[in-house]
């Protein structure tokens, strides 16, 4: 069964979700499966609850700091980014099964109900029927007329922007929308776009089953930033959570979370701000000796 198939006798499986929606009826948007449908999420949580031992991230910290074994078939549920559907759809299911979860919030998304750069590009390509794109980084042109073409173009853009520190993601959004002749969209009330309000973040944080963590302010890849930008990105997010909901976060997750997206420097800045644990998005299972700043997670898409 999905999710349960990743549980192991001694290891810890940390699942990474982004969103849960009633239904996903887009051609292009959500092609990665970042937002899963409610019924599927329900079955995954139900299956995990019956087959495994649910832990909170605080319990993970306790186990790793003491080197104590995890309970059998241990798992953790985490969400990144701060989508409203985490509050309205996922949290009630987690409550029903008493499964703890940590919600890592991108404070700039919550503050402005903002969409990430890639969600803005996906929105643009959903809107336009066909077109030709040329990017600033090479001479090639990319024409698209079908859903498959559009997904191919999106993969190219994703790969490039996530690995090239010189590229400004906001400029890529501007360039793509201009070439497609589609107005740029920064906010939307669609269930795959809407972010939590601070009140909703606070209500989740007040529930003893749930933990709020940080996930940067502008969702920038932390290892790409200068020392000053890095300090500001992390401090802004942590201070804003404290100001808005009165919580000093101990938990954080790296935007994108791939191996090149964090570094010893990033980890030192997080530690300096009082963070004790920061999982990655690198796939794998953890043991009690795994570094709390290099924990692996499993994304079900
Ligand atoms: Zn994220």
């Amino acid at each position: 069964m999905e999710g349960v198939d990743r549980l192991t006798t001694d290891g810890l499986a940390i699942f990474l979700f982004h969103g849960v929606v009633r239904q996903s009826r887009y051609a292009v948007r959500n092609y990665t499966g970042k937002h899963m449908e409610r019924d599927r999420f329900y079955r995954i949580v139900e299956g995990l609850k019956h087959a495994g031992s649910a832990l909170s991230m605080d319990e993970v910290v306790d186990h790793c700091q003491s080197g104590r074994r995890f309970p059998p078939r241990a798992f953790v549920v985490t969400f990144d980014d701060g989508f409203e559907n985490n509050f309205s759809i996922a949290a009630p299911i987690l409550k029903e099964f008493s499964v703890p979860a940590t919600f890592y919030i991108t404070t700039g998304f919550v503050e402005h109900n903002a969409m990430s750069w890639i969600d803005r590009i996906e929105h643009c390509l959903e809107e336009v029927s066909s077109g030709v794109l040329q990017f600033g980084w090479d001479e090639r042109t990319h024409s698209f007329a079908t859903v498959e073409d559009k997904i191919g173009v999106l993969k190219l853009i994703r790969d490039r922007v996530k690995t090239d520190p010189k590229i400004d993601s906001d400029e890529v959004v501007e360039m793509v929308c201009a070439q497609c002749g589609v107005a740029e969209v920064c906010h939307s009330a669609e269930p795959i776009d809407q972010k939590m309000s601070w009140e909703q973040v606070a209500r989740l944080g007040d529930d003893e089953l749930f933990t709020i963590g940080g996930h940067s302010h502008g969702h920038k890849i932390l290892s790409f930033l200068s020392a000053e930008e890095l300090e500001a990105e992390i401090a802004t997010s942590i201070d804003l959570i404290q100001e808005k909901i009165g919580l000093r976060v101990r938990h954080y997750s790296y935007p994108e979370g791939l191996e090149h997206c964090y570094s010893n420097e990033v980890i030192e800045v997080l530690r300096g701000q009082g963070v004790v644990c920061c999982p990655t998005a690198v796939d794998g299972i953890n043991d009690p000796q795994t570094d709390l700043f290099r924990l692996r997670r499993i994304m079900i898409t």
Side-chain angles (χ1 to χ4, degrees), residues 48-117:
L48 288 172
K49 175 71 184 186
H50 289 130
S53 309
L55 297 180
S56 68
M57 282 312 276
D58 276 328
E59 288 172 312
V60 171
V61 170
D62 289 346
H63 279 275
C64 290
Q65 284 178 345
S66 62
R68 203 157 31 93
R69 288 167 66 128
F70 296 122
R73 298 159 77 78
F75 73 92
V76 177
V77 171
T78 69
F79 279 83
D80 277 3
D81 295 356
F83 288 97
E84 195 278 341
N85 62 47
N86 297 182
F87 175 85
S88 59
I89 302 181
I93 295 170
L94 294 161
K95 286 288 279 182
E96 182 178 333
F97 292 102
S98 290
V99 169
T102 296
F103 299 90
Y104 297 102
I105 307 298
T106 301
T107 48
F109 290 172
V110 168
E111 188 74 353
H112 307 291
N113 187 29
M115 290 164 68
S116 70
W117 68 271

Side-chain angles (χ1 to χ4, degrees), residues 209-241:
L209 204 53
F210 301 135
T211 304
I212 300 297
H215 187 53
S216 84
H217 184 66
H219 210 270
K220 301 280 183 210
I221 292 177
L222 298 175
S223 56
F224 288 0
L225 302 178
S226 69
E228 298 89 86
E229 288 168 335
L230 176 63
E231 281 283 347
E233 181 70 12
I234 292 172
T236 303
S237 65
I238 291 178
D239 291 348
L240 206 48
I241 292 172

